[in-house]
Amino acid sequence: AQSVTQLDSHVSVSEGTPVLLRCNYSSSYSPSLFWYVQHPNKGLQLLLKYTSAATLVKGINGFEAEFKKSETSFHLTKPSAHMSDAAEYFCVAGGYNKLIFGAGTRLAVHP
Amino acid sequence: GAGVSQSPRYKVAKRGQDVALRCDPISGHVSLFWYQQALGQGPEFLTYFQNEAQLDKSGLPSDRFFAERPEGSVSTLKIQRTQQEDSAVYLCATRPRGADGNEQFFGPGTRLTVL
C-alpha cells in the first residue's frame, strides 16, 4: 500500500527567502509522485511530477523537487518565495486507480 | 480549452436531504475520479470510472454514497440522507488515455455543508 507523509503542517517564510516543503512516501514499487498547489477557493493545480525519468524535476513558478529513493523523499523547494506562493501544498503518490494525498502543508509568506 | 467543471460550487443541505453533485470532464478524458476533502485535510479517494464502467468504489464511505457515469462523460455523485459528517469539498478529476505518470486534472470542487 502507498502512503504519503508531509512532515510540516505549516511553514512560514519571508518573501525572497528559500522554501522547503518536506514529503516522505511509502510504496512497494517506484511510484509516480506529484506536488499540487491549492489556492483558496481554487482547484488543485499541478506544480510538477516525477515519473522515473530525471530525479530532479522542475515545475512551474520556479519550484523544483528531488526524488531520493534511498531516503524515500520528494521534497519541494524554491530558491526565493513570492507573496503569491502562499497556499496549501499537497504531496501526492499516483497509482493507476487513484491518487494518495498527504495531509498538506500550508505555506505562509510574509513581507 | 475548458477544464473540468463542477456544479453547484456550493450546496447547503439539511440533515437527511439527498444531494446530487455534477462533474463535467475535459472532453475526451476517459478516466474520472471523485475525491472527498474534509476541512484541513488532503483529498481522499472515493471512486473511479473508466468510460461508463465504475472500476473502483472502495473509497465510498457508506451505502448512502452513489456515483454514476452512464454515457462515459458527465458524472453525478449522489449522497442520500445527508449527515453532518458528509460536510466537505467534493472534487472531481479526470485523466486522458495514456496520461504520463497518471496525472489527473481537477475541477474547482463542490463545497457541501450539511446543517
Side-chain angles (χ1 to χ4, degrees), chain A residues 34-51:
Chain A
F34 309 85
W35 277 96
Y36 280 84
V37 61
Q38 188 175 42
H39 291 274
N41 298 316
K42 297 280 184 68
L44 286 158
Q45 181 184 19
L46 180 69
L47 280 179
L48 50 80
K49 60 185 176 184
Y50 166 75
T51 58

Side-chain angles (χ1 to χ4, degrees), chain A:
Chain A
Q2 291 182 315
S3 66
V4 176
T5 302
Q6 292 185 242
L7 300 174
D8 307 290
S9 59
H10 292 82
V11 170
S12 182
V13 300
S14 298
E15 189 175 23
T17 65
V19 175
L20 170 63
L21 305 184
R22 298 181 296 163
C23 173
N24 287 110
Y25 71 92
S26 173
S27 178
S28 56
Y29 56 91
S30 292
S32 297
L33 295 167
F34 309 85
W35 277 96
Y36 280 84
V37 61
Q38 188 175 42
H39 291 274
N41 298 316
K42 297 280 184 68
L44 286 158
Q45 181 184 19
L46 180 69
L47 280 179
L48 50 80
K49 60 185 176 184
Y50 166 75
T51 58
S52 76
T55 56
L56 182 62
V57 182
K58 295 187 182 299
I60 62 171
N61 300 335
F63 285 94
E64 63 180 38
E66 185 171 9
F67 174 72
K68 292 186 176 180
K69 186 174 182 179
S70 61
E71 299 176 8
T72 62
S73 69
F74 190 58
H75 302 333
L76 181 71
T77 60
K78 182 173 180 177
S80 176
H82 191 273
M83 296 296 289
S84 61
D85 294 329
E88 187 87 18
Y89 291 79
F90 293 98
C91 181
V92 183
Y96 188 76
N97 279 12
K98 67 182 72 171
L99 298 179
I100 308 298
F101 283 76
T105 298
R106 181 163 298 277
L107 176 65
V109 182
H110 49 88

Side-chain angles (χ1 to χ4, degrees), chain A residues 32 34 36 38 41 43-44 46 49 51 90 95-99 101-103, chain B residues 9 33 35 37 42-43 45 48 50 56 58 91 95 100-104 106:
Chain A
S32 297
F34 309 85
Y36 280 84
Q38 188 175 42
N41 298 316
L44 286 158
L46 180 69
K49 60 185 176 184
T51 58
F90 293 98
Y96 188 76
N97 279 12
K98 67 182 72 171
L99 298 179
F101 283 76
Chain B
R9 291 293 311 278
F33 305 80
Y35 294 83
Q37 185 176 18
F45 170 80
Y48 157 56
Q50 184 162 311
D56 187 344
S58 62
L91 297 168
R95 184 181 71 202
D100 181 26
N102 299 316
E103 177 186 350
Q104 296 180 18
F106 284 83

Side-chain angles (χ1 to χ4, degrees), chain B residues 3-4 14 17 24 27 35 49 53 75 80 84 87 98 103 114:
Chain B
V4 179
K14 293 183 179 179
Q17 284 184 330
D24 287 80
S27 178
Y35 294 83
F49 290 86
S75 177
Q80 298 177 324
Q84 286 189 322
S87 295
E103 177 186 350
V114 181

